[in-house]
Amino acid sequence: MEKVVLITGGSSGIGKSIGEFLHAKGFVVYGTSRNPERISNSVFPLIALDVRNVDSIQKAVAEVISKSGRLDVVINNAGVGITGPIEEIPTAEIKNNFETNLFGPIEVMKASLPQMRVQKSGLIINITSIAGYMGLPYRGIYSASKGALELITEALNMEVKSFGINITNVAPGDFATNIAAGRFHAPLIQGSAYEIPYGNTLKMMDEHVDSGSNPNEMAEAIYRIIQNPNPKIHYKIGIFMQKFSIVLKRILPDKMYERMLMNHYKI
């Protein structure tokens, strides 16, 4: 039987690559977008969904189940970047980031679990970030929202395991997508105490995304996870040094690791 897959944020970037790859492998794929009518080149159907709106989440999940009769895999991919000195990021932007990166995925899971329980099977894949394993300078809010989703996944996986459902995290490093364009940048304030170090960090982050890995690597990794009847709880996908930074955090003293990060970001 062809598995039915729902991907949030399926109109561009990593979500689009995953959807196209799974579609080519014979999966029944539904993507989501806040404005699906604006997308004309999708090879799989796009459903209207805004992860900040609970009603739209419930309607989208119900539409997939109504059309296909089941829901086998949910990929919580929709997310937004945010950068800036924590002191200078408007509180409304911090809340919006958590609404999109944490509370939205939680609501998608809550909407999907009843159907998976009925089926006695299902897989939810939360796309987090290697940045979620460490507090990064000028990316603290993003790190926190993705790190929180990692922990939610650990807890929920234990809660639903007896229903035949698996929850897993996939933490990508830098991939060549349009995430930088959609990211909220706290403005560089002339004369701010953070002007020079934040400016340097911003430039470095954009260079990393521009030279990032091919999103197809993520698509292939997701495909392998779906095929695995007993997936791991955490996966990291990216270049060696990005994955190795998580290992170093585990083994190095805190102050030494902090100094390493500060040297890397030249602050």
Side-chain angles (χ1 to χ4, degrees), residues 9-174:
S11 62
S12 64
I14 286 173
K16 184 179 181 183
S17 294
I18 293 168
E20 289 175 349
F21 191 90
L22 296 180
H23 174 78
K25 291 286 185 184
F27 289 78
V28 178
V29 177
Y30 296 89
T32 75
S33 170
R34 278 180 294 177
N35 305 104
E37 67 282 354
R38 294 183 189 169
I39 315 295
S40 58
N41 61 346
S42 181
V43 300
F44 49 87
L46 291 172
I47 295 170
L49 185 151
D50 182 343
V51 291
R52 297 165 303 177
N53 182 307
V54 177
D55 284 345
S56 88
I57 290 169
Q58 291 172 343
K59 280 179 187 166
V61 171
E63 185 176 338
V64 171
I65 296 165
S66 166
K67 285 179 173 172
S68 293
R70 57 186 299 109
L71 180 54
D72 299 296
V73 182
V74 171
I75 301 172
N76 263 320
N77 166 72
V80 289
I82 185 168
T83 64
I86 290 169
E87 186 182 345
E88 293 179 354
I89 300 175
T91 301
E93 291 295 343
I94 294 173
K95 288 180 176 177
N96 178 64
N97 191 267
F98 271 77
E99 287 287 346
T100 307
N101 289 356
L102 178 64
F103 299 126
I106 290 172
E107 292 297 343
V108 171
M109 290 190 279
K110 287 166 74 172
S112 305
L113 284 169
Q115 175 64 28
M116 290 181 170
R117 242 190 348 266
V118 169
Q119 295 167 189
K120 297 185 173 56
S121 69
L123 171 65
I124 298 174
I125 300 172
N126 291 322
I127 308 294
T128 58
S129 173
I130 285 177
Y133 282 82
M134 59 205 74
L136 294 173
Y138 307 112
R139 292 177 77 180
I141 302 304
Y142 184 74
S143 288
S145 66
K146 291 296 192 177
L149 187 54
E150 287 271 342
L151 294 181
I152 289 283
T153 302
E154 288 184 3
L156 188 57
N157 191 48
M158 290 185 273
E159 293 174 12
V160 302
K161 198 173 282 293
S162 64
F163 309 134
I165 302 167
N166 288 303
I167 322 281
T168 184
N169 288 312
V170 178
D174 290 320

Side-chain angles (χ1 to χ4, degrees), residues 201-256:
T201 304
L202 207 52
K203 189 177 170 197
M204 186 183 293
M205 281 190 287
D206 288 342
E207 286 168 358
H208 283 179
V209 170
D210 291 341
S211 63
S213 307
N214 188 321
N216 284 341
E217 287 178 36
M218 271 290 285
E220 289 169 12
I222 296 291
Y223 174 68
R224 288 194 298 271
I225 293 165
I226 293 172
Q227 299 298 91
N228 186 342
N230 188 27
K232 297 192 298 184
I233 300 166
H234 300 282
Y235 292 89
K236 294 95 177 170
I237 312 294
I239 62 172
F240 171 78
M241 277 312 297
Q242 289 173 347
K243 292 188 283 188
F244 189 55
S245 64
I246 299 171
V247 177
L248 289 176
K249 187 170 199 289
R250 214 174 289 141
I251 61 177
L252 290 178
D254 288 349
K255 290 286 186 184
M256 191 181 293

